[in-house]
Amino acid sequence: EDKVVQSPLSLVVHEGDTVTLNCSYEVTNFRSLLWYKQEKKAPTFLFMLTSSGIEKKSGRLSSILDKKELSSILNITATQTGDSAIYLCAVTSGTYKYIFGTGTRLKVLA
Amino acid sequence: DTGVSQDPRHKITKRGQNVTFRCDPISEHNRLYWYRQTLGQGPEFLTYFQNEAQLEKSRLLSDRFSAERPKGSFSTLEIQRTEQGDSAMYLCASSREGSGSYEQYFGPGTRLTVT
């Protein structure tokens, strides 16, 4: 059965800290791995990683895909209170199947 | 607003009643997904449409759930004889086949409370 596991489940840090969120997966016919940020609403897209694009960066956020280890990390540097959210990892299997992890709840304290 | 829209945003219903939710995807998106999300969990796949064809339906979806996408545009999700366990956020997402990206765009969700 396809599955995506995220760790830690929750994390509390102080502003300015750097955090690393983990996502591991077991899926058949892997196509891509996506990271989303979810505040009190629907998930918003952050990054997509594929075999041809294993590293992405946007501002203070960066992500790397390790296809050998079947995992990905999401790094957030110099965290701000606005980074407080649930971070979801999803993996696509085949052309249209998305499997989501349970998410990591990040709280950044001022 | 050209994003994914869902209606209603909130629904409170009594156990045993039927409810119907609507999703309007981004106009050029031919793929449409329904997910259910409960507290502390990630979105759980319910069903998938490519144009008007329902290509996959989760085994977790009982026969009380049905979805349609007539004419390949908006979609409806109906839950018959609701149960308290159906209380959740129902999310709709859309994407475009052939865009080279697997990015899905999510709607704001419909929060269902069954009393």
Side-chain angles (χ1 to χ4, degrees):
Chain A
E1 183 181 340
D2 295 335
K3 65 178 179 179
V4 175
V5 178
Q6 293 186 244
S7 64
L9 291 181
S10 65
L11 194 54
V12 180
V13 300
H14 288 91
E15 271 193 319
D17 288 349
T18 293
V19 297
T20 299
L21 311 183
N22 301 282
C23 175
S24 63
Y25 60 90
E26 291 180 30
V27 299
T28 54
N29 199 10
F30 171 88
R31 293 294 181 96
S32 68
L33 185 145
L34 302 99
W35 284 97
Y36 290 85
K37 179 181 181 181
Q38 185 174 29
E39 296 169 273
K40 293 183 179 179
K41 50 186 179 179
T44 54
F45 173 79
L46 293 175
F47 297 120
M48 184 183 79
L49 303 163
T50 65
S51 299
S52 58
I54 61 171
E55 189 167 353
K56 293 287 175 71
K57 182 176 171 64
S58 176
R60 296 178 296 104
L61 277 66
S62 63
S63 183
I64 297 174
L65 175 68
D66 187 336
K67 283 208 70 181
K68 184 177 178 183
E69 296 297 325
L70 306 184
S71 65
S72 174
I73 60 170
L74 175 69
N75 278 322
I76 308 175
T77 60
T79 51
Q80 302 170 357
T81 54
D83 296 327
S84 296
I86 297 171
Y87 290 83
L88 293 167
C89 172
V91 173
T92 59
S93 173
T95 57
Y96 60 79
K97 185 176 180 183
Y98 292 72
I99 305 105
F100 282 82
T102 55
T104 292
R105 182 180 295 273
L106 173 65
K107 186 170 180 63
V108 182
L109 303 175
Chain B
D1 184 10
T2 57
V4 179
S5 62
Q6 292 187 243
D7 184 70
R9 297 289 302 277
H10 303 273
K11 178 71 177 178
I12 300 173
T13 190
K14 293 189 177 187
R15 189 175 51 193
Q17 298 294 306
N18 298 344
V19 294
T20 299
F21 309 141
R22 177 180 170 124
C23 170
D24 286 89
I26 294 172
S27 59
E28 63 266 27
H29 286 186
N30 63 331
R31 294 182 169 182
L32 187 147
Y33 304 77
W34 284 99
Y35 293 91
R36 176 171 62 192
Q37 187 176 26
T38 53
L39 197 62
Q41 301 295 318
E44 175 188 37
F45 171 78
L46 294 179
T47 190
Y48 160 68
F49 289 86
Q50 182 159 313
N51 300 310
E52 66 275 9
Q54 187 175 21
L55 296 189
E56 187 157 347
K57 185 175 174 179
S58 169
R59 290 170 293 173
L60 300 172
L61 217 59
S62 75
D63 55 9
R64 296 184 298 105
F65 288 72
S66 63
E68 293 182 341
R69 192 183 182 196
K71 303 178 183 178
S73 55
F74 72 92
S75 175
T76 59
L77 177 69
E78 180 183 17
I79 309 174
Q80 296 181 324
R81 304 181 303 281
T82 52
E83 302 172 355
Q84 287 189 320
D86 297 331
S87 296
M89 174 75 87
Y90 289 83
L91 294 167
C92 175
S94 70
S95 66
R96 185 164 62 92
E97 180 186 11
S99 64
S101 170
Y102 292 93
E103 181 179 350
Q104 288 183 318
Y105 293 82
F106 281 86
T110 294
R111 183 169 296 282
L112 173 66
T113 302
V114 181
T115 62

